[in-house]
């Protein structure tokens, strides 16, 4: 074991707090392990949310040894596949910490147990699956909604932006185009436009009014 310098001791002590905070924040799905690379035989200095079966005082991993022998070894390795001893799939990230002379002092490692999330994913896939059929074709959306959204997307693309990022003056120009195309006359057009632009229905009406809207728009009735 190498005798740590005062700087190295300070780094390790501060990293204890970082590991503690991450462990509390990411509990219970993520194991947080702090490795002291100055003492590879007893490297595990702190361990939170123990998911791997390891304990404080256990030796470092192959990646830890690689950092000890090569100061040029990657400092951040994120989201790589791993597994626990019992076969559970894991998403791991490892962050190497160097001192002021460029030597690896520690490694902060995060191991996310994917088992529970994979279960959630399977349940969501089953819940959202659309496998049935109806004797007649049915739509719950007013006719013309796709045409309105397509015209909005085309307008935004011409400006090299997205519908939700359009400026007020751009929205007003867009509504003029929609009016000229007769799309404002479709049932619940204002609701469709507001939803696609990410603004309120009142904002859409406000953007329409400066251009001498039809009586139905001025009265607040659906156009």
């Amino acid at each position: 074991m190498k005798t740590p310098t005062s700087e190295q001791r300070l780094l390790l002590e501060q990293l204890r707090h970082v590991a503690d905070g991450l462990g509390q924040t990411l509990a219970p799905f993520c194991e947080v392990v702090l490795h002291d690379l100055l003492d590879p035989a007893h490297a595990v200095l702190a361990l939170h949310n123990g998911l791997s079966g390891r304990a404080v005082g256990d030796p470092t991993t192959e990646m830890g040894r690689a950092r000890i022998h090569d100061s040029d070894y990657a400092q951040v390795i994120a989201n790589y596949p791993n597994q626990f001893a019992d076969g559970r799939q894991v998403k791991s990230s490892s962050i190497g910490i160097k001192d002021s002379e460029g030597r690896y002092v520690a490694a902060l490692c995060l191991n996310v147990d994917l088992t529970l999330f994979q279960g959630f994913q399977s349940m969501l896939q089953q819940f959202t699956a659309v496998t049935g059929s109806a004797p007649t074709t049915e739509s719950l959306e007013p006719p013309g909604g796709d045409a309105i959204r397509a015209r909005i997307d085309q307008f935004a693309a011409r400006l090299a932006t997205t519908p939700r990022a359009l400026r007020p003056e751009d929205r007003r120009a867009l509504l003029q185009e929609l009016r000229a195309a007769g799309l404002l006359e479709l049932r619940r057009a204002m609701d469709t436009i507001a939803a696609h632009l990410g603004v309120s229905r009142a904002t859409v009406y406000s953007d329409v009014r400066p251009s001498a809207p039809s009586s139905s728009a001025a009265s607040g009735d659906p156009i």
Side-chain angles (χ1 to χ4, degrees), residues 16-48:
R16 281 181 180 271
H17 297 297
V18 174
D20 185 19
L22 288 173
Q24 293 187 50
T25 301
L26 301 176
F29 310 112
C30 179
E31 177 183 74
V32 180
V33 188
L34 175 60
H35 294 260
D36 176 359
L37 299 184
L38 301 176
D39 186 11
H42 308 91
V44 178
L45 191 62
L47 189 147
H48 303 276

Side-chain angles (χ1 to χ4, degrees), residues 47-195:
L47 189 147
H48 303 276
N49 310 325
L51 300 173
S52 63
R54 289 176 296 174
V56 171
D58 281 355
T60 192
T61 62
E62 293 87 346
M63 191 175 295
R65 288 193 292 271
R67 284 196 172 109
I68 291 170
H69 295 297
D70 182 6
S71 60
D72 292 328
Y73 195 87
Q75 194 156 4
V76 177
I77 304 175
N79 300 322
Y80 62 91
N82 210 336
Q83 69 176 37
F84 291 136
D86 60 5
R88 282 174 294 159
Q89 290 185 311
V90 179
K91 181 174 77 168
S92 296
S93 292
S94 178
I95 306 161
I97 309 298
K98 296 181 178 183
D99 62 15
S100 59
E101 296 185 5
R103 295 174 298 187
Y104 276 114
V105 174
L108 186 62
C109 301
L110 309 176
N111 301 307
V112 179
D113 184 352
L114 297 179
T115 308
L116 183 58
F117 295 99
Q118 289 168 340
F120 285 154
Q121 185 179 38
S122 297
M123 287 186 288
L124 287 172
Q125 287 176 340
Q126 180 178 350
F127 182 73
T128 58
V130 181
T131 58
S133 60
T136 58
T137 301
E138 180 183 47
S139 174
L140 303 179
E141 182 183 45
D146 285 341
I148 293 174
R149 285 188 289 269
R151 183 61 71 94
I152 294 173
D153 290 340
Q154 291 168 5
F155 181 91
R158 293 203 307 268
L159 299 179
T161 186
T162 63
R164 290 180 175 242
L166 288 173
R167 297 172 299 179
E169 58 268 30
D170 296 330
R171 289 200 309 267
R172 289 191 284 271
L174 166 65
L175 287 164
Q176 288 304 302
E177 282 197 15
L178 295 177
R179 179 191 297 281
L183 294 174
L184 295 189
E185 306 304 320
L186 296 175
R187 178 170 170 263
R188 294 186 62 187
M190 292 308 199
D191 292 327
T192 301
I193 295 167

Side-chain angles (χ1 to χ4, degrees), residues 197-211:
L197 295 179
V199 298
S200 68
R201 194 168 180 263
T203 297
V204 176
Y205 276 118
S206 176
D207 289 337
V208 169
R209 286 192 182 103
S211 58

